[in-house]
Amino acid sequence: AAAAPALVPILVGGALVPGVAPTKPAGPEPAPQPIKPPEPKRPRLDPTTGLMSEADFTNELGANRTVSISVKCPNDDSNPAWTLLGQSLEVSLDCMSSVKELKASVKAQVGMPENKQQLKHAKLGFLKDALSLAHFNLKSGDVVELVVRARGRR
């Protein structure tokens, strides 16, 4: 004759009552599932601009944080000291460099003072001097347009 299952007390509604011991299913135990590493976090995008944070952008660049930006110059002969002949300039800077530092590199190549320069990106509009290239998510190969800042003209 088969042995009767052992009674084990179980908690029901705050009181211990006699119950039946749980039985193991017949057959081999299933193999444990391998633990999958968590998926890397996707960088968050700002809902208003669609840009990553500076930190996420620099992490995505990895060890090589140097970006090469193409600056499209206008064809402007209004000031003979400036060499604005419609050329494209290649400027390589660290991604955490400010837009003002980018303008200084442009000045070194064309002789145009930073305060007369405006840099415009096709999607982002005019770039603010105090912010970094990483703030605007500018990567190698991006093109910005150099615009001559006109003051007081009618």
Side-chain angles (χ1 to χ4, degrees), residues 19-32:
V20 179
T23 58
K24 276 187 153 184
E29 280 191 28

Side-chain angles (χ1 to χ4, degrees), residues 42-53 56-57 60 137:
R42 285 193 323 229
R44 288 192 183 169
L45 299 180
D46 183 315
T48 57
T49 62
L51 297 175
M52 289 184 252
S53 71
D56 287 341
F57 184 75
E60 207 163 89
N137 293 184

Side-chain angles (χ1 to χ4, degrees), residues 82 100 103-104 107 112-118 129 147-151:
W82 306 343
K100 188 143 185 97
K103 287 182 176 183
K107 177 185 178 183
M112 181 182 197
E114 293 98 328
N115 66 343
K116 298 291 184 189
Q117 299 176 32
Q118 283 186 304
D129 286 355
V147 179
V148 178
R149 178 175 281 153
R151 295 190 179 204

